[in-house]
Amino acid sequence: MNTIRMPIRFSKQTFEMETIDENSDEYYATLVANAIQIESKELPISTYFGVIDPVFDERQTNRTISDASRYIPEITIRKVTTNLNDDGTRNISVSFERG
Amino acid sequence: MASPNFSQYINLTVSDLNVVDIYDDSVEYAQTNLPEFNPRVGTIENAILEATAYQTNNIVTSINRLPDGLMEGVLSLMGFSRIEATQASGTVTIELIINTGSTILSGTTFSFDVYDAEGVLTQYLFETDEDLTIASGSTTGTVSVTASEASQYPDIPVPSALTVVSSTPFILNATLATLSTVGQDTETDAEYFNRGVTYLSSLSSAITTASQMTSYIAVNYPTVSKFKVYDLTEVLENYVTNAVLSTNVVTLTTASAHGYETGDSVTVRDMANAVYNGTYTVTGTPTTTTFTYAKTNTNITSAAVAAGSVVLATGMLFSTADSGGNVTVSMCDSAGDPISDEQKTIIKADLSSRVVAGLNINLQDTNTFNVDVVVSIAVEPNYSTSVVGTAVSDAIESYLSVTGWDWAESVDARYLTTIASKVTGVKYVDSVDATLNGATVFASNDSLNVTILEKGAIPIGSCTTTAV
């Protein structure tokens, strides 16, 4: 099933909430991004889902993303790169393959 | 627990749905409009649903605690409180291995150890209430102890050896010398609210119905374990304190005003001199506490009477017409023994002060009679005939007892069949026959049943079960 696009947007033409098509690259990218941002036991029912917060430990980044990919068996993580910005924030880029 | 059993509290909890139930219901509801709706874990839809289900569960749980909380608040405002757990207490005698004196500190812990059939140990802990100083030259001393936790302990026999739990030197042994109280458990929510309902239903400045009186006695007189309120019934039971037979006229003196009139039929029971016993017609009422009846016999000199009672003969018969303005309470304790005269006087005065004007309160001791029951059953394969037979006998004897009797007007073989049928292992009940054991005025045999003639009479059963 399609999933809601975050941040939430509405179509100018149909005024419907925009969604991401299931099985699209963006769909899996959204799942990876969500999985990285949800900590274990954060969801009240699916307590198994999520990863350890990697924010302050760069060395764990690869492992964290590897853990996150376990919840999305349709993809394989190929590459993770991090980039420290001047303002102290860190961008993480995840490359994956479907199949 | 006083009888009859009240279980009238309606639990106002709507439904304690858990988080998963709410989530599943939400998905199911969504699928009625969107059949393809199947949120995947990790998507925003699923996260929103789980978060909503969690918060809804919190709200449901909070709301469902409100009715009981409000009910407890209302009962508290009316001065009706929960029965809280209390601690067992007693005394412990301690023997030292030295005779040079020692002090056992307050808080020293001892345990009474119980092993069950599987070897599992249960410890009942006691702590000393104060320091115990055993003087030089002596080796023993006794100190009061209290259970470590508030709950009901078993009725520990005394003396019983205790285990010293605290690391305390010089103690050779410790013995539970006395057990003052075994303590009690906190009543459960169900017990508390059922008791509260009974209490509320008894509240009235005037008792006007039999059910109100039933509730009132149940709440206020727990020692009256078994009782039945009979509306429109006049028993006028009284105790005989003096008796004399002169020129074929008996004059009995009663403990309190008898209320009889000339022409009333009375039954005299349990007199040591059996000459007085029987059913007679009152021939005169010289005073409010004396009455006479005819009895052809040699004279018996006037003498105080220690045992014996007189009752209006027809007052308690089921067949007697309703007696307007009269209520009779038939009562006994948990063993079926009469309630003490002092207690009955208090109860009667209390009830009389609460009933509407013109209503007479009469108290009567319950009576018992013996019933033999013979049951024939078929037992399911793989069940022990003797075990099932014993269980059937126990179930029927439990019903035909002081605590189990439901105040029916007969010992009905069909109902006994129902009781026997419910016992595990019974394939079918072949026959049931109930008959009186011994002569009694309280009941009569009626084919397979026993018909009870008098109100306030309890059958005591002895059941024999055989297998076909």
Side-chain angles (χ1 to χ4, degrees):
Chain A
M1 138 187 164
N2 298 346
T3 186
I4 299 170
R5 171 172 281 131
M6 292 296 287
I8 291 173
R9 292 188 303 207
F10 293 90
S11 165
K12 289 180 180 176
Q13 286 75 37
T14 63
F15 304 107
E16 290 180 348
M17 185 183 289
E18 288 189 10
T19 58
I20 303 167
D21 289 341
E22 190 178 10
N23 294 326
S24 65
D25 289 346
E26 186 183 5
Y27 176 82
Y28 291 110
T30 301
L31 287 183
V32 172
N34 287 346
I36 293 170
Q37 294 176 83
I38 295 173
E39 282 194 71
S40 295
K41 299 180 182 174
E42 191 171 284
L43 294 176
I45 298 173
S46 310
T47 51
Y48 63 90
F49 189 87
V51 297
I52 299 167
D53 187 350
V55 167
F56 299 106
D57 191 350
E58 187 185 352
R59 294 167 299 178
Q60 298 294 327
T61 302
N62 276 304
R63 190 186 137 197
T64 300
I65 293 169
S66 172
D67 286 347
S69 67
R70 286 187 295 124
Y71 305 116
I72 314 159
E74 298 96 324
I75 63 168
T76 305
I77 303 293
R78 289 297 175 204
K79 187 178 174 188
V80 177
T81 56
T82 62
N83 180 36
L84 186 61
N85 299 326
D86 293 340
D87 60 0
T89 60
R90 187 185 304 278
N91 288 337
I92 301 175
S93 298
V94 180
S95 301
F96 63 85
E97 265 181 17
R98 298 172 56 189
Chain B
M1 174 69 78
S3 179
N5 177 34
F6 290 89
S7 299
Q8 301 171 34
Y9 178 67
I10 299 168
N11 189 347
L12 299 176
T13 300
V14 179
S15 177
D16 260 343
L17 290 173
N18 62 36
V19 182
V20 175
D21 289 338
I22 295 169
Y23 175 89
D24 290 342
D25 287 349
S26 303
V27 172
E28 190 178 332
Y29 179 76
Q31 286 174 338
T32 59
N33 293 315
L34 300 168
E36 73 279 10
F37 187 78
N38 183 23
R40 177 174 181 159
V41 177
T43 62
I44 188 69
E45 298 89 352
N46 183 72
I48 291 172
L49 272 181
E50 289 199 16
T52 307
Y54 177 72
Q55 292 297 350
T56 305
N57 172 256
N58 283 345
I59 295 168
V60 167
T61 306
S62 301
I63 290 174
N64 279 343
R65 300 288 83 74
L66 263 178
D68 282 357
L70 288 172
M71 183 78 180
E72 188 162 359
V74 169
L75 289 171
S76 296
L77 284 173
M78 304 188 80
F80 186 86
S81 55
R82 242 176 219 279
I83 295 174
E84 301 292 350
T86 59
Q87 294 162 294
S89 63
T91 58
V92 168
T93 300
I94 297 168
E95 185 177 1
L96 302 179
I97 56 175
I98 58 172
N99 65 354
T100 53
S102 179
T103 296
I104 310 299
L105 296 177
S106 170
T108 301
T109 306
F110 304 91
S111 77
F112 177 71
D113 299 340
V114 178
Y115 289 90
D116 65 14
E118 278 133 23
V120 177
L121 170 64
T122 303
Q123 289 188 305
Y124 297 95
L125 299 175
F126 291 94
E127 294 178 14
T128 56
D129 297 331
E130 58 197 359
D131 291 352
L132 169 66
T133 300
I134 299 175
S136 177
S138 177
T139 58
T140 61
T142 300
V143 63
S144 61
V145 292
T146 302
S148 298
E149 61 179 36
S151 66
Q152 185 172 5
Y153 276 25
D155 193 7
I156 303 170
V158 289
S160 284
L162 301 180
T163 303
V164 184
V165 176
S166 300
S167 177
T168 308
F170 309 132
I171 295 179
L172 178 62
N173 60 54
T175 306
L176 185 67
T178 61
L179 185 64
S180 308
T181 170
V182 296
Q184 69 178 16
D185 292 324
T186 305
E187 64 183 339
T188 63
D189 279 357
E191 288 169 346
Y192 169 69
F193 287 122
N194 284 332
R195 202 163 56 85
V197 169
T198 308
Y199 171 73
L200 291 177
S201 63
S202 77
L203 290 181
S204 173
S205 58
I207 295 174
T208 56
T209 66
S211 63
Q212 277 183 323
M213 192 175 290
T214 301
S215 297
Y216 186 79
I217 296 171
V219 169
N220 293 284
Y221 297 100
T223 55
V224 181
S225 297
K226 188 77 174 177
F227 67 93
K228 174 72 175 174
V229 178
Y230 292 103
D231 206 359
L232 302 171
T233 302
E234 184 181 24
V235 61
L236 293 179
E237 186 178 55
N238 218 318
Y239 291 98
V240 179
T241 59
N242 194 283
V244 57
L245 195 161
S246 176
T247 58
N248 297 326
V249 173
V250 172
T251 302
L252 296 185
T253 304
T254 55
S256 56
H258 51 66
Y260 302 143
E261 296 174 359
T262 300
D264 282 349
S265 181
V266 295
T267 300
V268 181
R269 294 174 181 150
D270 304 327
M271 298 282 280
N273 189 335
V275 170
Y276 293 112
N277 292 335
T279 300
Y280 307 98
T281 301
V282 175
T283 55
T285 55
T287 70
T288 57
T289 57
T290 60
F291 67 94
T292 61
Y293 59 85
K295 177 73 179 181
T296 303
N297 199 76
T298 55
N299 289 351
I300 303 173
T301 55
S302 177
V305 173
S309 63
V310 58
V311 62
L312 198 62
T314 59
M316 291 297 281
L317 293 178
F318 281 110
S319 57
T320 298
D322 289 348
S323 175
N326 285 288
V327 170
T328 296
V329 185
S330 189
M331 56 175 63
C332 64
D333 67 11
S334 58
D337 294 328
I339 305 298
S340 69
D341 291 347
E342 295 80 6
Q343 180 81 344
K344 281 198 292 192
T345 302
I346 293 169
I347 295 172
K348 185 172 182 176
D350 187 15
L351 292 177
S352 298
S353 68
R354 285 180 158 266
V355 297
V356 293
L359 190 61
N360 297 317
I361 301 296
N362 309 287
L363 302 186
Q364 185 232 18
D365 294 329
T366 55
N367 296 293
T368 59
F369 58 94
N370 295 321
V371 173
D372 287 341
V373 179
V374 177
V375 182
S376 178
I377 58 169
V379 178
E380 294 273 14
N382 302 324
Y383 280 89
S384 162
T385 302
S386 62
V387 170
V388 175
T390 302
V392 168
S393 294
D394 288 347
I396 288 177
E397 287 174 2
S398 174
Y399 170 61
L400 299 176
S401 67
V402 171
T403 52
W405 182 239
D406 60 1
W407 302 108
E409 294 183 25
S410 68
V411 179
D412 194 322
R414 290 168 299 182
Y415 186 59
L416 299 182
T417 303
T418 304
I419 294 173
S421 302
K422 290 178 179 174
V423 174
T424 305
V426 173
K427 189 173 184 181
Y428 63 85
V429 179
D430 188 54
S431 66
V432 174
D433 186 8
T435 53
L436 287 173
N437 178 350
T440 178
V441 297
F442 305 120
S444 65
N445 283 315
D446 176 16
S447 184
L448 301 176
N449 310 314
V450 169
T451 300
I452 299 175
L453 304 174
E454 274 202 26
K455 298 172 184 175
I458 299 175
I460 305 300
S462 174
C463 182
T464 305
T465 304
T466 56
V468 294

